[in-house]
Amino acid sequence: DAGVIQSPRHEVTEMGQEVTLRCKPISGHDYLFWYRQTMMRGLELLIYFNNNVPIDDSGMPEDRFSAKMPNASFSTLKIQPSEPRDSAVYFCASSPQGDQYFGPGTRLLVL
Amino acid sequence: GQNIDQPTEMTATEGAIVQINCTYQTSGFNGLFWYQQHAGEAPTFLSYNVLDGLEEKGRFSSFLSRSKGYSYLLLKELQMKDSASYLCAVRDTAGNYGQNFVFGPGTRLSVLP
């Protein structure tokens, strides 16, 4: 298995633009998680899905953030409009129901 | 509320043993995890404890005391490649499905020759 795949690996955009991050989980994993990591706040859980259904989105910072999982092999995290404070590394992780397997992350810089 | 504490930084010598402590206060408990994260990379799973006691896995061991809200990660025979951040995470039972992971701030370990 190729592991969790994320794209793009790096994204530089200007304030106000829409940003879409993509994730392909490991086949057969029922859970998918989106995290954000910054130096100041560490690793924060944003939202997680079970069998494509959003279960807990209490970590989503505000309405500018949205996440979808249209099928078992694909999820997106969208920021619209983006702001400089959204600059961070965004990780996707999947899990069969135990330890999580993290993707390589998307390094986002909003200017 | 939810709170997880770890030392910010630690330094140890190659070949030595180091213990990284983690204390937690969460509304629920459904397991404690340790992850290793090298600079610029994703976290990778190291160990998992759900019952009290010691879990050993090669050079790495993890201990849990649920009554004290305390865990530690023990690294033996330190190698230079063990220089990384070590993240303690509690899986909270809050909400549906009990998969709400709360991560500590991480401990940056530097292994010196």
Side-chain angles (χ1 to χ4, degrees):
Chain A
D1 201 318
V4 176
I5 299 172
Q6 290 187 247
S7 65
R9 295 292 306 275
H10 301 272
E11 176 85 18
V12 180
T13 190
E14 292 187 345
M15 184 174 65
Q17 297 298 305
E18 177 179 294
V19 174
T20 299
L21 311 180
R22 298 172 178 79
C23 175
K24 176 178 167 49
I26 294 172
S27 177
H29 283 190
D30 293 335
Y31 290 89
L32 183 140
F33 303 80
W34 281 102
Y35 288 91
R36 177 172 68 176
Q37 188 173 39
T38 61
M39 288 292 291
M40 290 296 295
R41 300 176 66 90
L43 195 60
E44 302 173 281
L45 176 63
L46 300 177
I47 184 172
Y48 75 90
F49 295 82
N50 174 250
N51 290 325
N52 316 338
V53 177
I55 301 301
D56 189 339
D57 65 354
S58 58
M60 297 285 261
E62 47 198 275
D63 292 344
R64 297 184 297 107
F65 286 69
S66 62
K68 294 182 180 179
M69 192 165 186
N71 57 62
S73 59
F74 184 66
S75 177
T76 59
L77 178 68
K78 187 174 292 187
I79 309 173
Q80 167 63 16
S82 59
E83 297 182 2
R85 60 192 168 124
D86 302 330
S87 298
V89 180
Y90 291 81
F91 288 105
C92 174
S94 71
S95 167
Q97 196 177 58
D99 56 292
Q100 298 170 78
Y101 297 79
F102 282 79
T106 295
R107 195 170 295 271
L108 173 66
L109 178 62
V110 183
L111 302 173
Chain B
Q2 299 171 323
N3 188 50
I4 300 181
D5 283 321
Q6 302 178 236
T8 304
E9 291 189 38
M10 298 183 72
T11 302
T13 306
E14 196 173 13
I17 299 172
V18 71
Q19 178 175 311
I20 302 174
N21 295 325
C22 170
T23 57
Y24 64 89
Q25 291 176 309
T26 56
S27 54
F29 181 83
N30 189 22
L32 187 138
F33 296 75
W34 283 95
Y35 288 83
Q36 180 190 59
Q37 186 177 23
H38 285 99
E41 297 183 8
T44 56
F45 170 77
L46 285 179
S47 70
Y48 166 64
N49 296 70
V50 67
L51 300 176
D52 291 352
L54 190 67
E55 293 284 339
E56 297 188 79
K57 211 177 190 182
R59 294 190 299 115
F60 295 78
S61 303
S62 57
F63 171 83
L64 174 67
S65 169
R66 287 172 296 170
S67 62
K68 294 181 180 177
Y70 168 69
S71 173
Y72 67 72
L73 180 69
L74 194 70
L75 292 78
K76 303 175 188 174
E77 301 169 16
L78 279 174
Q79 303 175 9
M80 300 296 289
K81 67 177 182 179
D82 297 329
S83 293
S85 287
Y86 291 85
L87 306 173
C88 172
V90 171
R91 187 168 58 185
D92 199 327
T93 54
N96 298 325
Y97 294 82
Q99 296 291 324
N100 189 2
F101 281 79
V102 181
F103 279 80
T107 298
R108 189 162 57 205
L109 174 67
S110 298
V111 180
L112 306 177

